[in-house]
Amino acid sequence: MEENFTAKDNLIKKHHLTEADFEQIKTLGISLDKIEGELTLFRLGIPKITLEKPATIGDGILKLSNEEFQKQADFFDSRKDSLKLKKFVPASGAASRMFKFLNEFLNDFDHENETINAYINRKKDKNLPIFLAGIEKFPFYDEIKAKVKELTPDYYSLESHEKSYLFIKTMLSPEYFDFCNKPKGVLDFHKYETEITTPVEEHLNECAFYASSKSVSNLHFTVSDHHEILFQTIIDRVKQKVEDKSKTKVHVAYSHQDKSTDTIAVTPNNEPFRTEDGRLLFRPGGHGALIKNLNNLDADVIFIKNIDNVIQNHIQEITLYKKGLAGILIDLQQQVFEILKAVENNRINEKDIPAIIRFMAQQLNIDILEDFEKYTLENKLEFIINKLNRPIRVCGMVKNEGEPGGGPFWVRSYKGNVSLQIVESAQVETNNAEQAGILAKATHFNPVDLVCATKNYKGEKFELPQFVDTSTGFIVSKTKNGQDLKGYELPGLWNGAMAKWITVFVEVPLITFNPVKTVNDLLKPAHQPQYGN
């Protein structure tokens, strides 16, 4: 109680919070210490990450041949029936960014006085021509066109550009399809000969291929509470069909981003931002908040993949690499557990230390202290336990093709330790020529393709929040009703939220990475039908 009283006292004294504010905070389940900590971060700022060098093949990224991937996949298959597997899919985001350029078109197009071509030339819009050229290839084309015809009695007498305008307007209209405000997971992504599927169904399908043991698979979506019914409706419609086809029972569960992970917003002067009715403004803490959801899962191996990274073709190839990553994870975990059990049972002598340290440095990318050799045996064992008794993640990395987003780097902490991390460009001091140069030399990109082990050598679950680097969040600039504000996003789920995990990067081919960031990505071969395959 004394600790909370101190935080409350400080919040009243420094930031003029009221009893009404404390009631609001209590309702959300947010601790006062957390709010005080966030307000301090706004005031002091968040230090940028110090990049040491990019992770590259042979220096932080493992490269396997197809034969080696197959060997690891076979190893995974030989062990999986003794393991509980889960697939974890963050799926709460709305699809607004997918349709950003179409929304801008609707807002800025002068329907009465210009043609779509005139708009494209005026705005130098490169995305709209691609959308219009491929419009008939979108899986939702027939359904939206049918609705436009139903709503437009003189449809057949309209000019082509007028039909296109009505198509886009109907697709985004809250009254009809409302694609911008729906989650990506429930939109039509793929057209097959006899059906059209959503990412939800594709993730169900994938589960049966690589995330099942003893013909049982567990799939977990994180969703917005008001969207859960949309997911459930699709699951109810397609689950039996997927189970019959794959001969696998799929258990589907959902969780929501915990309100207690929301973060306080501030004015540009770092005072708590207030809405028009005088209440404090809290914002979702970003995908880093999902470490709590991940922490609640009970599984031996957890596959993590984004909702929009699904593929229409080549599922067997995707399966090989997924299972290969899982095989690497289990193999490394087995060796880690053997060492920790040997330490616990007093079976490690001085002569055993060099081989353990080689394994830690060469296979687990763990930075070994320069004066380690001078330690007593007791202190060496303490160091080994500290570094090995952690969650493990094996992350697929694809070659950098200029996609925006995070990448694999060696990072130096303020204590001087070097570790492998997935870093976003926003975390780097790009005004510093040396740091910007290292960032630009990244050879690989993070596709969010992780396989995780979250239990210790005794079979107990790790407390994952203990392995978060709390200094790696983001301060972002936003607006609310025309007023500028600053928000705080928690350390990203695969960035700072897993910063203290044992981390192994493995190169995987580009075929495993097929995100749909804009609607035009659905026109790429990975999302288009290949009938006859």
Side-chain angles (χ1 to χ4, degrees):
M1 280 300 292
E2 188 180 337
E3 186 183 353
N4 260 350
F5 174 77
T6 306
K8 183 174 181 177
D9 204 37
N10 287 338
L11 290 168
I12 292 170
K13 190 175 176 182
K14 293 181 184 175
H15 301 286
H16 313 296
L17 264 60
T18 66
E19 284 305 322
D21 294 332
F22 293 121
E23 275 302 311
Q24 181 188 354
I25 293 164
K26 185 179 177 184
T27 303
L28 292 169
I30 300 174
S31 79
L32 299 184
D33 289 327
K34 178 175 173 293
I35 289 173
E36 189 181 19
E38 287 165 8
L39 291 169
T40 301
L41 281 175
F42 283 119
R43 186 167 50 82
L44 299 179
I46 296 176
K48 296 290 187 178
I49 270 177
T50 303
L51 301 179
E52 184 78 2
K53 57 185 174 179
T56 56
I57 298 295
D59 187 15
I61 301 177
L62 191 61
K63 185 177 176 70
L64 274 64
S65 67
N66 271 1
E67 291 74 20
E68 289 169 318
F69 260 114
Q70 188 62 62
K71 185 179 175 185
Q72 292 289 2
D74 291 343
F75 177 66
F76 168 69
D77 279 335
S78 73
R79 299 299 174 100
K80 69 179 183 182
D81 281 353
S82 64
L83 303 169
K84 184 174 184 183
L85 311 178
K86 261 198 178 132
K87 186 176 175 188
F88 181 80
V89 182
S92 54
S96 50
R97 285 185 195 172
M98 257 182 83
F99 301 99
K100 185 171 181 279
F101 72 91
L102 294 176
N103 243 331
E104 289 170 355
F105 163 69
L106 289 181
N107 290 333
D108 204 27
F109 177 54
D110 185 352
H111 180 235
E112 300 298 322
N113 299 307
E114 71 178 338
T115 63
I116 291 180
N117 274 343
Y119 167 86
I120 289 168
N121 292 331
R122 175 166 65 85
K123 300 292 287 187
K124 296 181 173 56
D125 190 323
K126 294 177 181 176
N127 295 306
L128 188 54
I130 296 168
F131 176 85
L132 295 174
I135 196 165
E136 293 183 12
K137 293 181 178 178
F138 288 109
F140 42 75
Y141 172 75
D142 290 340
E143 188 182 5
I144 293 173
K145 182 182 176 183
K147 174 57 75 174
V148 173
K149 286 163 75 173
E150 178 194 320
L151 296 169
T152 316
D154 61 344
Y155 178 82
Y156 289 104
S157 65
L158 294 177
E159 297 281 338
S160 170
H161 73 271
E162 291 175 312
K163 290 176 181 174
S164 297
Y165 169 72
L166 290 174
F167 183 95
I168 296 167
K169 188 177 178 185
T170 306
M171 179 174 76
L172 301 187
S173 166
E175 198 177 341
Y176 300 110
F177 293 91
D178 199 22
F179 277 5
C180 276
N181 294 313
K182 286 181 178 171
K184 278 186 189 178
V186 305
L187 299 180
D188 291 338
F189 264 35
H190 296 152
K191 186 174 185 176
Y192 293 89
E193 283 187 272
T194 57
E195 62 182 342
I196 291 171
T197 62
T198 63
V200 170
E201 186 172 348
E202 297 292 9
H203 279 288
L204 273 176
N205 270 320
E206 280 191 19
C207 258
F209 276 91
Y210 61 76
S212 63
S213 61
K214 293 182 179 175
S215 300
V216 174
S217 192
N218 299 283
L219 176 58
H220 188 101
F221 292 108
T222 63
V223 299
S224 301
D225 48 4
H226 58 287
H227 285 152
E228 186 176 326
I229 186 67
L230 298 174
F231 282 78
Q232 191 58 55
T233 301
I234 293 171
I235 297 291
D236 290 344
R237 176 167 51 83
V238 303
K239 188 159 90 82
Q240 191 64 54
K241 178 183 68 179
V242 171
E243 289 179 337
D244 291 346
K245 186 179 175 183
S246 63
K247 297 181 174 53
T248 302
K249 181 74 178 168
V250 186
H251 298 296
V252 181
Y254 307 93
S255 62
H256 310 136
Q257 200 161 306
D258 192 329
K259 279 287 179 191
S260 70
T261 63
D262 285 3
T263 61
I264 194 165
V266 297
T267 66
N269 295 324
N270 300 321
E271 287 304 321
F273 184 96
R274 294 188 181 275
T275 57
E276 289 172 350
D277 60 1
R279 289 166 65 81
L280 298 172
L281 178 66
F282 290 90
R283 304 176 65 254
H287 58 68
L290 300 180
I291 199 72
K292 286 189 76 167
N293 304 61
L294 192 64
N295 193 51
N296 290 332
L297 299 188
D298 182 22
D300 298 302
V301 175
I302 301 170
F303 295 87
I304 301 180
K305 197 177 181 193
N306 272 340
I307 187 67
D308 64 339
N309 185 13
V310 287
I311 193 169
Q312 177 145 2
N313 320 295
H314 307 293
I315 187 65
Q316 298 289 358
E317 285 179 69
I318 304 292
T319 298
L320 168 66
Y321 298 110
K322 284 282 189 220
K323 287 184 173 182
L325 295 178
I328 294 166
L329 176 79
I330 295 166
D331 181 26
L332 292 173
Q333 185 192 54
Q334 202 169 285
Q335 295 178 69
V336 167
F337 284 3
E338 283 173 9
I339 293 167
L340 290 171
K341 285 172 184 172
V343 172
E344 186 177 61
N345 295 320
N346 298 313
R347 288 192 283 107
I348 301 291
N349 300 313
E350 190 68 54
K351 65 179 175 56
D352 303 312
I353 298 291
I356 293 172
I357 291 302
R358 254 194 323 274
F359 166 71
M360 290 168 65
Q362 293 174 9
Q363 295 198 49
L364 302 180
N365 309 296
I366 291 171
D367 192 30
I368 308 301
L369 299 172
E370 279 184 24
D371 56 351
F372 179 80
E373 289 299 322
K374 299 173 185 172
Y375 281 25
T376 63
L377 177 60
E378 185 183 355
N379 285 340
K380 285 178 180 176
L381 293 177
E382 191 179 314
F383 175 83
I384 288 167
I385 292 168
N386 175 265
K387 293 295 184 181
L388 292 187
N389 196 25
R390 299 172 181 233
I392 307 173
R393 59 174 175 163
V394 175
C395 315
M397 290 289 156
V398 295
K399 283 182 181 172
N400 195 340
E401 297 279 308
E403 291 277 354
F409 291 88
W410 291 97
V411 170
R412 185 170 292 280
S413 75
Y414 72 93
K415 290 182 179 177
N417 304 324
V418 176
S419 63
L420 276 183
Q421 302 292 341
I422 298 172
V423 179
E424 307 297 322
S425 56
Q427 294 176 274
V428 180
E429 186 57 79
T430 49
N431 292 330
N432 178 310
E434 183 190 10
Q435 289 293 291
I438 297 171
L439 185 68
K441 287 178 184 168
T443 58
H444 288 71
F445 172 82
N446 167 39
V448 187
D449 190 359
L450 293 81
V451 191
C452 305
T454 57
K455 290 183 179 178
N456 66 18
Y457 69 102
K458 297 178 181 178
E460 304 159 335
K461 284 166 59 180
F462 284 108
E463 272 299 311
L464 301 184
Q466 293 177 5
F467 298 90
V468 175
D469 181 351
T470 54
S471 71
T472 57
F474 303 86
I475 292 174
V476 293
S477 296
K478 299 285 181 181
T479 60
K480 174 83 173 175
N481 298 330
Q483 290 183 280
D484 290 336
L485 62 84
K486 293 196 288 189
Y488 171 64
E489 292 192 2
L490 299 168
L493 181 59
W494 35 84
N495 312 113
M498 296 182 178
K500 298 176 184 178
W501 292 34
I502 293 171
T503 295
V504 175
F505 295 148
V506 182
E507 185 180 82
V508 292
L510 273 169
I511 196 170
T512 63
F513 182 54
N514 303 285
V516 178
K517 299 305 178 191
T518 87
V519 65
N520 287 349
D521 287 335
L522 290 174
L523 299 174
K524 292 179 178 178
H527 300 289
Q528 286 292 309
Q530 292 185 6
Y531 298 141
N533 277 12

